[in-house]
Amino acid sequence: MTSRPLLLVTGGSRGIGAAVCRKAAAHGYDLLINYHSNNIAAEAVAADCRVFGANADIVQGDTATEAGIESIFRAVDRLGSLYGLVNNAGVVDVTARVDEFDRARLDRMFAVNVIGKIRCATEAVKRMSTRHAGQGGVIVNISSMAAVIGSPGQYVDYAAAKAAVDTFTVGLSREVATEGIRVNAIRPGIIDTEIHASGGLPDRARDLAPIVPMQRPGTADEVADSVLYLLSPQASYVTGAILNVSGGR
């Protein structure tokens, strides 16, 4: 145990989640790094965090399942008082039109990107809220500019899921505003991470750079900097906010 605040990052083994973990460790947080399947990648991120003096543990858990959520929060309870949740775990699917979607795709999309986020927030609130004898805390949900743009011809289902995250962020923030918890969201734009490859478009960030006003994709580190701001005392009067990190798109 240390005096450093404990931060849980879901989907912390790669991309934006991994960048958040490393930045948070450098800013004085201890980390619980959730991963779905790649324990080697998660342990590599944890090792990077320990360089900064952080206690960094990893925990396997699929946020789309109740068993996964239970595993994650059992680990939280072993480590101590939870200060922050970065609700980052998410998935995309291959590019397709709405008339090509099947039920299995939609079930997975919403189980991870919406229900999983709500369930993680539920468990975090039970531990943070002054209503439940907690000490307060911060939740940062990772949304997407897809929620605004709609992503036609690519993944409207992903966009719809992220729009649900936006609405959930606003509603939860107002629900727990008097209970010591701040809830905000980040909407990344076109960010150069591995998620594009998992959707079958490994060069998507580079290919779409010309449609971004700043003429380049963003980096995971740039998103992480915004997350760290929302976690920090400098954002003490910020709740219910959705911050676009999108290069102006």
Side-chain angles (χ1 to χ4, degrees):
M1 296 293 294
T2 72
S3 60
R4 298 165 66 114
L6 176 63
L7 181 66
L8 166 62
V9 181
T10 64
S13 65
R14 64 176 188 167
I16 290 169
V20 169
C21 290
R22 295 184 180 105
K23 293 259 186 184
H27 281 76
Y29 292 87
D30 284 337
L31 275 302
L32 179 59
I33 302 163
N34 159 249
Y35 68 97
H36 178 251
S37 58
N38 193 338
N39 68 302
I40 294 173
E43 186 53 52
V45 174
D48 290 342
C49 293
R50 294 177 192 126
V51 170
F52 296 102
N55 285 340
D57 292 86
I58 66 172
V59 59
Q60 193 279 332
D62 181 355
T63 59
T65 69
E66 284 304 296
I69 300 291
E70 290 171 8
S71 174
I72 292 165
F73 282 90
R74 278 198 304 269
V76 168
D77 292 339
R78 287 195 298 269
L79 293 172
S81 177
L82 182 65
Y83 169 79
L85 164 66
V86 179
N87 226 349
N88 169 70
V91 295
V92 296
D93 211 317
V94 297
T95 296
R97 286 168 47 96
V98 171
D99 52 14
E100 298 168 329
F101 295 167
D102 60 20
R103 180 58 182 259
R105 172 181 171 129
L106 295 176
D107 284 346
R108 175 173 177 265
M109 187 69 66
F110 282 82
V112 177
N113 293 340
V114 182
I115 297 173
K117 279 186 167 56
I118 293 174
R119 287 291 296 119
C120 284
T122 297
E123 295 302 319
V125 167
K126 288 178 181 177
R127 290 156 174 82
M128 294 175 179
S129 170
T130 55
R131 186 170 184 254
H132 296 286
Q135 299 176 357
V138 185
I139 297 171
V140 180
N141 295 321
I142 304 300
S143 178
S144 171
M145 285 303 297
V148 178
I149 296 165
S151 297
Q154 294 184 326
Y155 25 68
V156 172
D157 52 345
Y158 175 81
K162 292 299 189 176
V165 171
D166 289 356
T167 300
F168 175 65
T169 298
V170 174
L172 180 60
S173 73
R174 293 175 181 175
E175 191 166 280
V176 298
T178 61
E179 298 171 22
I181 304 174
R182 295 187 295 104
V183 185
N184 296 291
I186 298 284
R187 283 194 198 120
I190 297 168
I191 308 299
D192 191 7
T193 71
E194 303 97 320
I195 197 169
H196 303 293
S198 68
L201 297 170
D203 299 322
R204 182 173 182 269
R206 183 191 65 196
D207 293 344
L208 294 183
I211 71 173
V212 179
M214 290 182 70
Q215 296 289 289
R216 66 171 179 86
T219 69
D221 278 343
E222 288 175 310
V223 179
D225 284 334
S226 298
V227 172
L228 265 291
Y229 163 68
L230 291 175
L231 289 169
S232 75
Q234 283 70 40
S236 58
Y237 199 52
V238 181
T239 197
I242 303 173
L243 175 60
N244 296 343
V245 184
S246 62
R249 185 168 182 240

